[in-house]
Amino acid sequence: MAYSLMIHGGAGAIRAPERFSGSLKHIVEAGADMLASGAGALDAVARCVSMLEDDPLYNAGCGAVLNADGAAYCDASIMDGRDLSAGAVAGVRGPRNPVLLARLVMEKTPHVFMVGAGAERLGREHGLVFENEAYFATPERLAQLARAKARHETSLDHAATAHGKLGTVGAVARDQAGNLAAATSTGGLVNQMSGRVGDSPVIGAGVYADNASCAISCTGVGEQFLRTALARTAAFFVESQGMDAEAAAREAVAYLVRRVDGSGGLIVVDRNGRCGAARSTPGLLMASARDGRITVGDAGPPAA
Ligand code: GLY
Ligand code: GLY
């Protein structure tokens, strides 16, 4: 069976999207190489999201945005479409790769969702790499927080930042055995209230994977994706309405806009290996690989 892989680096009004092309291409190629040599979808999405987290261009891991207290709190999730097993963390400080901590929750505990200090302890017990404050609080992120505070605002997406270096990250894949997986990771919103959690770590909102339908990763204003359970909604369109990835992505964004005037986008790989993406924002940073063909680019015109 042919493999399929998509990654995203966030949605918004992206200034100079070409700045991201090299990074997106490099990361999707790394994931494609894994899938081409027989790796599972779960390993490929974990690797791609880890690489996106390690790149300070994106709002996840290194480069995560700072909350109102000046701290970077990360949220991440991962899901295995074979048996609907899933792991997620929210409000964690320090792990270099929050997606790997989410995977530990899935594989090493009987739980799905862990937060804060308990989740961090799990990571330390399993030897995950932790970084100090300075790794996250880059001079650029500190300046961005100061600007947001001066304007008394919470920056929602790429559109709200002068520097446009924001955006949740994610990956979805189907491996050569036909198994699906998805992962999402974020630093949340600039200047968000301490304790705020968005959609990214919530199964069915910011992430979903089921071999019976598709794998999905979302990006956008988390509250709107939570209220519409958007990832599960997109899976429903594939599972029960017979849509392919492209139609389901478009239909999900249309629903997001119609019901909550939502801002963001999503990437989808369906059970047949088709790739789809849609957005209501002016841009969505993304790249895909399907059986050796690499595409770096946008999701076409906004769906609504
Ligand atoms: N800035 C939030 C997101 O792109 O998901
Ligand atoms: N979509 C990421 C967030 O709202 O936190």
Side-chain angles (χ1 to χ4, degrees):
M1 234 181 247
Y3 69 81
S4 302
L5 172 68
M6 298 183 85
I7 63 171
H8 74 78
I14 296 146
R15 208 174 49 87
E18 62 279 2
R19 289 180 305 130
F20 299 87
S21 304
S23 158
L24 290 168
K25 182 163 183 286
H26 172 65
I27 294 168
V28 83
E29 280 173 351
D33 285 348
M34 288 176 71
L35 290 165
S37 49
L42 195 65
D43 288 336
V45 298
R47 178 80 189 118
C48 288
V49 170
S50 294
M51 291 177 78
L52 289 157
E53 288 174 338
D54 289 344
D55 191 329
L57 276 176
Y58 309 100
N59 169 22
C62 179
V65 299
L66 306 178
N67 75 2
D69 297 341
Y73 284 86
C74 294
D75 308 328
S77 57
I78 190 163
M79 187 159 185
D80 186 340
R82 286 174 296 192
D83 60 357
L84 306 186
S85 57
V89 292
V92 293
R93 293 179 80 174
R96 182 191 291 175
N97 292 115
V99 71
L100 299 184
L101 186 52
R103 189 170 180 176
L104 282 177
V105 173
M106 176 172 79
E107 293 180 340
K108 303 292 184 193
T109 80
H111 310 304
V112 168
F113 202 172
M114 293 179 69
V115 302
E120 291 161 17
R121 194 178 320 128
L122 175 78
R124 290 185 197 280
E125 282 167 7
H126 285 86
L128 272 197
V129 178
F130 276 69
E131 300 287 355
N132 61 25
E133 285 288 291
Y135 178 82
F136 300 97
T138 60
E140 194 149 24
R141 290 304 186 206
L142 289 165
Q144 179 187 53
L145 176 64
R147 284 194 302 274
K149 280 188 179 292
R151 294 194 299 256
H152 302 286
E153 69 183 20
T154 306
S155 296
L156 295 180
D157 56 27
H158 289 279
T161 166
H163 288 258
K165 283 176 67 173
L166 282 183
T168 295
V169 304
V172 293
R174 189 185 76 150
D175 61 31
Q176 294 187 50
N179 293 316
L180 300 176
T184 304
S185 181
T186 192
L189 308 179
V190 185
N191 200 24
Q192 67 184 9
M193 287 176 72
S194 176
R196 180 262 182 193
V197 177
D199 62 310
S200 303
V202 177
I203 308 305
V207 73
Y208 201 71
D210 181 357
N211 277 7
S213 55
C214 56
I216 299 132
S217 175
C218 300
T219 170
V221 180
E223 285 71 10
Q224 299 159 350
F225 286 73
L226 284 164
R227 289 160 61 206
T228 51
L230 204 79
R232 187 64 185 89
T233 297
F236 169 80
F237 290 142
V238 174
E239 181 184 305
S240 303
Q241 316 263 310
M243 293 184 198
D244 68 8
E246 192 66 53
R250 271 203 312 272
E251 208 46 50
V253 167
Y255 177 75
L256 177 76
V257 170
R258 190 168 71 245
R259 295 308 309 271
V260 297
D261 194 19
S263 183
L266 74 167
I267 55 173
V268 183
V269 167
D270 68 29
R271 59 193 164 199
N272 298 314
R274 292 206 184 84
C275 295
R279 58 186 162 80
S280 63
T281 47
L284 170 62
L285 293 169
M286 53 173 278
S288 60
R290 209 175 160 201
D291 219 21
R293 282 194 321 279
I294 305 281
T295 311
V296 179
D298 215 331

